[in-house]
Amino acid sequence: MKRTLASFCWLLTVYTVLVILWGAFVRASGSGAGCGSHWPLCNGEILPRSPGLETLIELTHRITSGALGLFVAALVVVSFRRRPRGHVVRKGALVVLAFVILESLVGAGLVKFEWVAANASMERVYVMAFHLVNTMLLVAALVVTAWFAGAERRFNVVVRRAVMIPLTLAAVGLLLTGMSGAVTALGDTLVLSQGLSAADSPVVAGLVASRAYHPSIALVVFGLVLYALWRVSRTGDSARSYGRSLALAFGAQLLLGLLNVWLRAPTWMQLVHL
């Protein structure tokens, strides 16, 4: 039963990533207004008749996101039935549920306030940055919950201050990198997909001018992550192994980011980079 719960958590993590990627496709393809400003209905209907392509793309995202909410609710129920009071998996499932609820509220806000498609407001910029941070925390909570769901024993984690400080700074840096990436991706969508230019909006002009911030932040954070991993690697062989994997993954992300810029941010490349 322990393995069954862990397998469910990992499958749920994979499904969540797929939902996130489809949500990014909704943004990149300019289909966020496919259901109009209606939520949770789509153009005032549960299932619109003769929907266009944009409507189908947006409606698919809403259906898969709704299914995600049901799966996470099931995770909470199973976790409380299969794990004792105070178990970290119970707490993790509740945290995941909280992030999913917040994610749905943000998505509803984007639709209701029409911060989609060619909307070039500062409110949309702030919400998109927050949206990605919440998404990153949601995935992190799922991974931690899945990890402990498959643990054969309880972990007694004691982290020294010399390790905790660089780890915390690296985690905050990763969130800042994600925020700047979300803002950069929004600028690419408005300029490349929606056909806006710096002359059309001061917000678009600011997004275009700030494109260099994301790769610059990513490079600085990469150095910070490498330093944190070096400090952690001194605590044991397993930490060293995981650290190498994370460093390779971060390096691959930097290369994908450079390729994304070189290709002028096509939709498929944005999804691979995400």
Side-chain angles (χ1 to χ4, degrees):
M1 187 58 66
K2 180 176 292 186
R3 291 183 177 180
T4 301
L5 179 57
S7 297
F8 176 66
C9 289
W10 286 118
L11 288 173
L12 182 57
T13 302
V14 173
Y15 178 77
T16 301
V17 172
L18 293 177
V19 172
I20 292 168
L21 290 176
W22 190 259
F25 178 68
V26 172
R27 185 262 309 155
S29 62
S31 304
C35 288
S37 59
H38 299 89
W39 191 93
L41 299 179
C42 183
N43 292 324
E45 301 175 296
I46 298 178
L47 290 175
R49 287 168 287 186
S50 302
L53 179 60
E54 290 185 355
T55 300
L56 285 174
I57 293 174
E58 167 65 9
L59 182 60
T60 300
H61 182 53
R62 293 192 183 189
I63 293 173
T64 54
S65 298
L68 174 61
L70 294 177
F71 292 150
V72 171
L75 172 64
V76 173
V77 173
V78 174
S79 298
F80 271 71
R81 292 186 62 182
R82 300 299 179 182
R83 293 295 184 271
R85 183 187 300 272
H87 196 281
V88 67
V89 173
R90 281 190 173 195
K91 297 175 182 178
L94 290 176
V95 171
V96 170
L97 179 62
F99 282 130
V100 167
I101 293 173
L102 187 54
E103 195 85 337
S104 64
L105 292 176
V106 171
L110 288 171
V111 172
K112 298 297 289 186
F113 291 102
E114 299 183 349
W115 293 328
V116 293
N119 179 279
S121 63
M122 280 304 301
E123 290 82 1
R124 186 183 184 186
V125 174
Y126 294 138
V127 171
M128 292 303 294
F130 174 80
H131 196 7
L132 188 59
V133 168
N134 188 74
T135 298
M136 294 173 69
L137 293 175
L138 166 61
V139 175
L142 274 168
V143 170
V144 171
T145 302
W147 177 275
F148 281 102
E152 296 298 328
R153 58 184 176 83
R154 289 179 176 271
F155 286 85
N156 183 21
V157 180
V158 179
V159 182
R160 292 175 297 177
R161 183 178 179 183
V163 173
M164 191 63 185
I165 292 177
L167 278 177
T168 301
L169 292 176
V172 173
L174 288 172
L175 292 177
L176 289 176
T177 303
M179 291 174 65
S180 63
V183 172
T184 299
L186 175 59
D188 290 337
T189 297
L190 294 175
V191 173
L192 300 176
S193 300
Q194 300 300 318
L196 300 180
S197 67
D200 296 323
S201 165
V203 174
V204 175
L207 291 174
V208 172
S210 64
R211 291 194 86 254
Y213 292 158
H214 177 54
S216 300
I217 293 173
L219 286 172
V220 172
V221 173
F222 184 46
L224 185 59
V225 168
L226 289 179
Y227 173 72
L229 294 178
W230 174 71
R231 297 301 298 265
V232 173
S233 67
R234 302 169 68 182
T235 64
D237 293 336
S238 60
R240 190 176 299 112
S241 177
Y242 288 124
R244 282 196 295 266
S245 299
L246 179 57
L248 289 174
F250 203 128
Q253 272 291 77
L254 292 177
L255 293 177
L256 289 173
L258 291 175
L259 184 59
N260 188 45
V261 173
W262 183 63
L263 294 175
R264 292 182 58 80
T267 299
W268 67 269
M269 191 64 229
Q270 291 187 46
L271 298 183
V272 172
H273 187 37
L274 178 63

